[in-house]
Amino acid sequence: MTLIMRLTPICLLVYLSCFGLFVNSVLGAKARHFKWEVEYMYGAPDCLEHVVMGINGQFPGPTIKAQAGDTVVVHLTNKLHTEGVVIHWHGIRQLGTPWADGTASISQCAINPGETFVYRFTVDKAGTYFYHGHYGMQRSAGLYGLLIVDVEEGKKEPFQYDGEFNLLLSDWWHKGVHEQEVDLSANPMRWIGEPQSLLINGRGQYNCSLAAAHNGNGSGLPECKFRGNERCAPNILHVMPNKTYRLRVASTTALASLNLAIGNHKMLMVEADGNYLEPFWVNDFDIYSGETYSVVFRTDQNPANNYWISVGVRGREPRTPQALAILHYQTTTASKLPTLAPPKTPLWNDYARSKAFSNKILALSGSPKPPLINHRRIFLLNTQNRIDGYTKWAINNVSLTLPPTPYLGAIKHGFSNAFDQKSPPDTFLSTYDIMKPPSNPNSTYGNGVYMLKFNTTIDVILQNANALNANVSEIHPWHLHGHDFWVMGYGEGKFSKKNIGKFNLKNPPLRNTAVIFPYGWTALRFVTDNPGVWAFHCHIEPHLHMGMGVVFAEGVHLVGNIPNEALSCGLTGKMLIGKPHK
Ligand SMILES: O=C1O[C@H]([C@@H](O)CO)C(O)=C1O
């Protein structure tokens, strides 16, 4: 009897249960099946009860664990009563499966209430990833979870460790997401403000000012719930002394840029967005929405104590207390509160410090290098604008609005009336003053696509600028779907041709998310080698809602069969009427 046959009855039982993991083994690589139901449910992420989005009754959603080369198959049923849903597999390039990227209006139709969509994709590269909703602002509502890909059997990471922990970071508002969407779309716009709480693995402490007060011991603060039995009590990472641990950290925040530190423990940065780094030591590190990191650290401190892990806000004036977790040396009791105060987050506007950290991130030697020559260079000016009094974010003066027919099916099936056929601009006015609010803030809505020639090298220069209010320019972490890109450099002010000579083509890090600093630029390079239609956007959820993104298409004629379920709306939906079900 083969292993598969012996495993089948057991797995079938599990499969029918709410978790639904079914593993079958084909030549080492496995297909991992998950049966998920997305729903609204009650949770208490920061100790206060609110509606959250959950998967199979869990918030955050279940962690997917796989090995490089495996196929992940998620049968996603929409149990929401009145809205669609999709899930994006953040950092997974979807080689050959662009229809499984989980972006509503781009790669697929939103899954209707009651319907099931099957995501099937290969996780080709080991690393730390996550998944999240990509329709409306469902990520802000809590639709997210981790996706961890281990190296293939028999292969080794370029660093060693005795154990590992995963931390998924997010931020949390008490106002529901539908109301936030209306606020942001209102005229005048009502800004959502700073989050009420930061969450680590879905747990935070509203109004627990322990970290802010910096008194080191929460026992005197009745609003703090640190005993461990509360649902929102901090995560406890149980460690043994004198061992090495890997900490995988992913940020799916809606807004906040974060910084993480472990009291008294130095960390070695080893992985970013599923790519190995030239290792370097830090006391703390910044992490922007859409990024992931792995660090390794040694438990070489006094084993009679426990230590705080703290996460605080950077890049915007913080009005949110730090989130905390506990590093528990198993040589003492878990309930013993750390004697040292939680590490203090660096000053929010110390950008020199943030830039110094970003500039230290370089690829491990032996990593793929960028082509030396680019075929096309696209300049993208990031501005806050107005359209008929509404506040928007625009790229080269175009604020993205998504069309009813998803681009992938529309382009593949030749529906030229499905979206603006005129390409959005490749650049902006050379006289534009990025240091001042826009002199003419009026912009336009658009849903055009950057059509990229297949197998060419594209440079993108993201150019930051002043927002609508004078002396304000904000951080924007940009995330590219379907690709990793090389980050060739960051710079101050307006990009000029002389910066091209300073691009790092020797060891630039490969990433899927890169930040632009206030009044600065960031230069990226990627190769259009993955047929599909790919979103490229600011990962701040309210900014994307307000139009801060663009769409790239490449080699769509090479895309194989797209499942009908991904096409069942808009013009492609009409095309399918009367056709036999595939
Ligand atoms: O999009 C945004 O709007 C506000 C502010 O610019 C206007 O209130 C803010 O901080 C953003 O990031």
Side-chain angles (χ1 to χ4, degrees):
M1 199 160 60
T2 66
L3 182 68
I4 298 174
M5 284 166 76
R6 262 187 283 145
L7 276 175
T8 301
I10 308 162
C11 293
L12 212 60
L13 268 178
V14 182
Y15 181 71
L16 293 171
S17 81
C18 60
F19 270 85
L21 167 66
F22 177 65
V23 181
N24 56 45
S25 198
V26 189
L27 294 173
K30 296 184 180 78
R32 297 177 189 263
H33 292 248
F34 300 87
K35 193 166 179 280
W36 283 2
E37 293 183 350
V38 177
E39 63 187 344
Y40 282 111
M41 55 181 231
Y42 283 106
D46 62 356
C47 306
L48 300 185
E49 189 172 83
H50 281 99
V51 169
V52 298
M53 291 192 89
I55 296 174
N56 295 347
Q58 296 178 51
F59 164 79
T63 296
I64 293 184
K65 288 201 174 125
Q67 267 185 336
D70 287 352
T71 301
V72 170
V73 188
V74 178
H75 302 249
L76 190 80
T77 300
N78 180 357
K79 289 276 185 177
L80 310 172
H81 296 290
T82 55
E83 67 191 86
V85 76
V86 292
I87 289 189
H88 169 56
W89 315 94
H90 186 111
I92 305 300
R93 290 172 296 169
Q94 302 293 352
L95 304 174
T97 51
W99 50 266
D101 192 43
T103 42
S105 281
I106 299 176
S107 62
Q108 71 169 107
C109 301
I111 308 162
N112 284 322
E115 291 183 352
T116 300
F117 184 83
V118 183
Y119 290 98
R120 183 187 299 271
F121 55 91
T122 305
V123 288
D124 60 300
K125 191 154 56 78
T128 306
Y129 306 101
F130 61 106
Y131 62 82
H132 59 79
H134 214 299
Y135 185 44
M137 285 179 46
Q138 289 179 343
R139 178 162 60 92
S140 295
L143 185 53
Y144 44 69
L146 284 163
L147 167 49
I148 307 295
V149 183
D150 277 321
V151 288
E152 293 127 79
E153 208 72 56
K155 282 217 176 161
K156 283 210 171 101
E157 306 267 8
F159 44 87
Q160 285 177 357
Y161 48 95
D162 303 303
E164 73 175 70
F165 300 97
N166 307 324
L167 301 182
L168 178 58
L169 311 180
S170 56
D171 45 7
W172 184 248
W173 280 255
H174 289 162
K175 194 180 247 192
V177 159
H178 295 120
E179 211 172 331
Q180 290 185 36
E181 286 174 347
V182 176
D183 281 353
L184 295 164
S185 305
N187 185 357
M189 186 264 280
R190 300 186 197 180
W191 176 243
I192 58 166
E194 299 302 309
Q196 272 66 62
S197 304
L198 300 179
L199 311 179
I200 302 179
N201 291 339
R203 291 157 174 250
Q205 300 266 329
Y206 177 59
N207 224 4
C208 167
S209 49
L210 170 79
H214 213 248
N215 63 359
N217 189 319
S219 52
L221 291 168
E223 62 270 44
C224 295
K225 297 184 172 56
F226 286 140
R227 287 294 150 208
N229 51 354
E230 306 90 349
R231 259 199 302 174
C232 57
N235 273 262
I236 302 178
L237 281 52
H238 304 281
V239 295
M240 293 302 289
N242 296 315
K243 298 268 178 219
T244 301
Y245 291 91
R246 176 183 192 162
L247 194 59
R248 297 178 185 264
V249 186
S251 174
T252 182
T253 55
L255 176 66
S257 303
L258 300 173
N259 178 277
L260 182 145
I262 313 175
N264 267 22
H265 292 72
K266 279 196 182 309
M267 299 170 280
L268 187 67
M269 310 291 305
V270 291
E271 182 225 327
D273 300 356
N275 296 291
Y276 296 124
L277 299 181
E278 195 59 45
F280 63 100
W281 288 98
V282 293
N283 290 318
D284 60 81
F285 65 90
D286 293 333
I287 178 165
Y288 302 96
S289 178
E291 294 186 329
T292 71
Y293 286 105
S294 284
V295 298
V296 290
F297 65 95
R298 199 87 204 132
T299 45
D300 55 4
Q301 295 300 304
N302 183 349
N305 285 337
N306 294 326
Y307 300 84
W308 289 115
I309 299 172
S310 70
V311 174
V313 173
R314 306 220 59 207
R316 302 179 67 98
E317 196 168 357
R319 301 210 173 84
T320 317
Q322 288 173 304
L324 299 171
I326 292 173
L327 185 70
H328 164 229
Y329 277 67
Q330 290 179 62
T331 32
T332 183
T333 53
S335 60
K336 182 177 165 189
L337 286 172
T339 45
L340 279 176
K344 214 173 166 183
T345 306
L347 211 60
W348 70 274
N349 55 358
D350 185 353
Y351 290 112
R353 199 178 192 281
S354 307
K355 290 172 193 173
F357 170 72
S358 292
N359 281 310
K360 277 194 203 150
I361 298 170
L362 299 168
L364 182 64
S365 67
S367 304
K369 289 192 179 190
L372 297 179
I373 308 284
N374 66 307
H375 297 99
R376 181 170 172 187
R377 183 164 290 136
I378 301 174
F379 296 87
L380 298 178
L381 176 68
N382 291 227
T383 52
Q384 198 180 25
N385 290 72
R386 287 201 203 287
I387 303 180
D388 303 330
Y390 293 88
T391 303
K392 299 287 163 191
W393 288 89
I395 305 306
N396 293 350
N397 230 24
V398 181
S399 185
L400 181 67
T401 50
L402 292 170
T405 309
Y407 294 105
L408 182 64
I411 298 174
K412 166 120 175 129
H413 293 284
F415 287 105
S416 57
N417 49 344
F419 58 91
D420 300 347
Q421 292 300 294
K422 202 166 150 272
S423 176
D426 264 24
T427 190
F428 54 95
L429 262 187
S430 60
T431 50
Y432 190 91
D433 187 351
I434 66 137
M435 301 308 287
K436 298 228 178 78
S439 55
N440 171 11
N442 290 329
S443 69
T444 50
Y445 294 114
N447 62 21
V449 174
Y450 289 91
M451 296 288 183
L452 308 178
K453 213 165 162 220
F454 190 59
N455 261 334
T456 57
T457 301
I458 307 293
D459 280 8
V460 175
I461 313 295
L462 288 164
Q463 177 66 62
N464 210 341
N466 200 107
L468 282 170
N469 292 329
N471 302 318
V472 177
S473 182
E474 300 178 355
I475 280 181
H476 302 285
W478 276 77
H479 171 62
L480 178 59
H481 292 227
H483 297 274
D484 287 338
F485 47 65
W486 289 276
V487 185
M488 300 187 294
Y490 303 90
E492 313 272 329
K494 197 150 140 187
F495 183 85
S496 84
K497 272 200 178 128
K498 64 177 189 297
N499 298 122
I500 296 172
K502 291 187 222 142
F503 284 167
N504 174 12
L505 300 176
K506 211 181 88 210
N507 58 354
L510 268 169
R511 306 208 59 163
N512 60 55
T513 304
V515 71
I516 42 171
F517 291 107
Y519 302 108
W521 55 262
T522 299
L524 315 173
R525 181 168 286 184
F526 68 98
V527 178
T528 55
D529 54 3
N530 190 13
V533 183
W534 308 110
F536 180 47
H537 61 92
C538 175
H539 212 257
I540 291 179
E541 188 87 319
H543 289 180
L544 177 58
H545 179 82
M546 294 158 81
M548 201 170 198
V550 296
V551 178
F552 293 147
E554 70 208 47
V556 175
H557 58 287
L558 301 171
V559 172
N561 255 348
I562 302 172
N564 283 351
E565 290 74 15
L567 302 169
S568 60
C569 60
L571 298 174
T572 46
K574 291 197 181 116
M575 167 189 85
L576 291 176
I577 292 171
K579 287 210 174 162
H581 188 79
K582 266 203 270 184

